[in-house]
Each structure stands twice: as structure tokens, then as C-alpha cells.
Amino acid sequence: MDRTAIMKKLGLQGFNKPKRTPSHPKKSHVVMSKEGDKTKLIRFGEQGASVAGKPKAGESERMKAKRKSFKARHARNIAKGKMSAAWWADKVKW
């Protein structure tokens, strides 16, 4: 199956446009990542994770610590860029 057929099947709007996958058993998001002429289907994020999300006004210190820990723990993989699940999780969820 070619990339455009896969994207259509998953309901993706285009390359580098993540989408939630509520029916997937483990991963919360999917994206067809494209960098140059390389493409890769990436599933990322823990399904049902209640602590992930963008910073909110009045956020607790505990949540700030969780965010900081995630970024520190995955820093090496985040640095790999768009072709890594960690980069997408950092951008979309954390």
C-alpha cells in the first residue's frame, strides 16, 4: 500500500499533521512524517494519559516537574527531529 492510501485510510489531512487515534489500543496519536524525500508513519503518545498536555494557567508544581522530567528523559530522541516519535510527543502532548 502506498503512503497516500495509508494516509487516506487513517484520515490524515497531509504530511506532518498529527491526528488523535482514540480507537488505537496503545498510542494516542498518528502522523505521516515527511522530511525531505523520506516519509515515515509514526504512532506516539500514551493512550489515556491524563497528565500530558500543554502548560495551563495555574498549573501545579507537580505537573511542571512531570513536563520537565519528560523533556529531560527524552531529550536525545527529541533532538532527532520530525522522524522520531519523541519529537512529535514533545510538540503535540507536552
Side-chain angles (χ1 to χ4, degrees), residues 12-24:
L12 294 171
Q13 299 298 313
F15 292 107
N16 299 327
K17 296 186 188 276
K19 179 183 184 235
R20 285 206 34 85
T21 54
S23 60
H24 194 273

Side-chain angles (χ1 to χ4, degrees), residues 70-72 74-82 84 86-88 90:
F70 174 85
K71 290 176 184 286
H74 296 285
R76 195 178 243 174
N77 291 325
I78 292 169
K80 291 179 182 177
K82 287 183 183 179
S84 76
W87 188 89
W88 284 102
D90 182 50

Side-chain angles (χ1 to χ4, degrees), residues 34-71:
K34 183 173 184 173
E35 201 167 51
D37 61 343
K38 293 191 300 184
T39 60
K40 183 177 179 181
L41 181 68
I42 298 174
R43 292 186 184 276
F44 64 95
E46 182 185 3
Q47 190 67 270
S50 60
V51 296
K54 297 293 179 192
K56 295 166 184 69
E59 180 177 69
S60 71
E61 291 301 316
R62 182 171 172 254
M63 187 58 197
K64 285 179 187 174
K66 280 181 178 272
R67 184 180 317 312
K68 186 177 177 183
S69 291
F70 174 85
K71 290 176 184 286

